[in-house]
């Protein structure tokens, strides 16, 4: 009788919006993970790197493409560290490499719901989450082992933290945004900074408090973002070249060069090169 009463109470608390949100999340999970292993190793370049990273902490830290630690892959480490952790726990398989990005895609949908629902109501949040869940580009990157799904998740979370900072004017919220953008930088380098100009301008114009307070907070957050962004990059470049792998896709054996050129201006400058191609 007590269990039945608790069941009725729980049913009374489940509103239509909860059912709709659960359905959206389920659709996202289905689109991202259904028969995921049929995609094989995804990007074999990164799959091979994860295999090598499991061989030693040295290869893991530097995201070495080969187990001997001769050359790194062309991306910073965060997404590949996540995949390597999955492979360590569940064994090296196509599914263990692809599943982390699939989960990141689902978490992005949930995060967007929370951000929108907090400000515009549950049904607006559900509509936004549903649009993202079925967005072809998100589904595509969530079914692969490229770093883009993790990048999307971190940038959505950064945008949510930025909105909170703009609403309350607190430095703490802006610092969370800065940390999340820094982590996104360690996922796909300068691509993460695409959100920074809009966030900075919105905070400067719309956040409460005096203009000098807002400027000060932006400077402090910028320093925090740079510190998080450059932590791994500095660790690589400050290590003697003979003691680490060559930084792949860079011409100067420098992670900074990789960030600014191959993963920076080269992305919009029509560069050639990359995995499976001869650089030009």
């Amino acid at each position: 009788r007590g269990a039945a009463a608790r069941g009725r109470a729980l049913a009374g608390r489940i509103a239509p919006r909860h059912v709709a949100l659960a359905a959206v999340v389920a659709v996202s999970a289905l689109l991202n993970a259904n028969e995921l292993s049929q995609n094989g190793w995804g990007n074999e370049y990164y799959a091979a790197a994860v295999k090598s990273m499991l061989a030693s902490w040295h290869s893991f830290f530097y995201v070495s493409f080969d187990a001997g630690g001769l050359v790194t892959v062309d991306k910073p480490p965060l997404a590949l560290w996540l995949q390597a952790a999955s492979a360590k726990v569940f064994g090296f398989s196509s599914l263990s490499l692809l599943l982390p990005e699939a989960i990141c895609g689902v978490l992005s949908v949930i995060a967007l719901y929370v951000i929108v629902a907090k400000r515009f109501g549950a049904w607006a949040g559900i509509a936004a989450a549903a649009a993202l869940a079925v967005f072809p580009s998100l589904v595509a990157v969530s079914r692969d082992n490229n770093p883009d799904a993790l990048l999307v998740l971190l940038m959505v979370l950064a945008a949510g933290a930025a909105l909170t900072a703009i609403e309350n004017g607190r430095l703490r919220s802006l610092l969370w945004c800065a940390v999340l953008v820094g982590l996104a930088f360690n996922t796909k380098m300068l691509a993460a900074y695409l959100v920074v100009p809009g966030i900075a301008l919105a905070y400067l114009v719309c956040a409460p408090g005096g203009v000098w307070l807002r400027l000060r907070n932006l400077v402090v957050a910028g320093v925090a973002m740079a510190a998080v962004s450059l932590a791994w990059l500095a660790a690589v470049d400050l290590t003697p070249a003979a003691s680490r792998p060559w930084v792949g896709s860079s011409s100067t054996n420098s992670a900074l060069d990789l960030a600014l050129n191959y993963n920076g201006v080269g992305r919009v400058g029509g560069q050639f090169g990359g995995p499976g191609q001869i650089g030009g």
Side-chain angles (χ1 to χ4, degrees):
R1 193 175 295 174
R6 287 194 296 271
R8 286 193 297 271
L10 178 61
R13 290 196 295 268
I14 297 177
R17 65 180 184 274
H18 300 138
V19 177
L21 177 60
V24 168
V25 174
V27 168
S28 178
L30 181 66
L31 291 174
N32 293 355
N34 182 49
E35 297 190 18
L36 189 58
S37 59
Q38 72 181 358
N39 291 344
W41 298 106
N43 188 325
E44 295 180 356
Y45 176 62
Y46 297 131
V50 172
K51 179 75 169 179
S52 299
M53 290 162 65
L54 296 174
S56 68
W57 283 108
H58 182 269
S59 295
F60 176 85
F61 180 77
Y62 292 108
V63 287
S64 176
F65 172 72
D66 60 293
L70 296 178
V71 62
T72 74
V73 293
D74 63 348
K75 291 293 183 292
L78 202 56
L80 294 178
W81 281 352
L82 191 63
Q83 293 172 32
S86 175
K88 185 70 174 178
V89 172
F90 300 108
F92 184 79
S93 68
S94 62
L95 191 58
S96 69
L97 300 187
L98 297 173
L99 193 57
E101 292 293 305
I103 294 172
C104 286
V106 177
L107 292 177
S108 296
V109 169
I110 297 172
L112 185 61
Y113 166 79
V114 173
I115 292 167
V116 175
K118 179 180 178 181
R119 294 160 178 87
F120 301 103
W123 288 107
I126 289 167
L132 184 61
V134 300
F135 196 70
S137 295
L138 181 68
V139 175
V141 299
S142 297
R143 294 181 61 85
D144 198 31
N145 59 336
N146 285 303
D148 301 86
L150 177 59
L151 176 70
V152 169
L153 172 60
L154 291 169
M155 293 173 79
V156 168
L157 292 173
L163 284 172
T164 301
I166 291 166
E167 291 163 351
N168 61 31
R170 293 177 183 170
L171 177 60
R172 182 175 63 183
S173 301
L174 196 60
L175 286 175
W176 275 116
C177 174
V179 169
L180 288 163
V181 173
L183 293 174
F185 180 92
N186 282 289
T187 302
K188 206 172 179 180
M189 292 187 161
L190 285 183
Y193 284 1
L194 291 172
V195 299
V196 172
I199 288 174
L201 180 61
Y203 184 85
L204 183 61
V205 173
C206 301
V211 64
W212 291 112
L213 176 63
R214 283 174 273 162
L215 283 171
R216 187 207 68 178
N217 288 351
L218 283 172
V219 170
V220 173
V223 171
M225 182 183 73
V228 176
S229 297
L230 301 178
W232 179 82
L233 185 153
V236 172
D237 281 357
L238 292 175
T239 302
S243 301
R244 59 167 173 80
W246 177 277
V247 178
S249 297
S250 75
S251 58
T252 60
N253 194 17
S254 166
L256 180 62
D257 174 57
L258 177 68
L260 296 179
N261 291 306
Y262 181 79
N263 284 324
V265 296
R267 295 288 173 176
V268 295
Q271 69 184 358
F272 294 94
Q277 296 179 316
I278 297 176

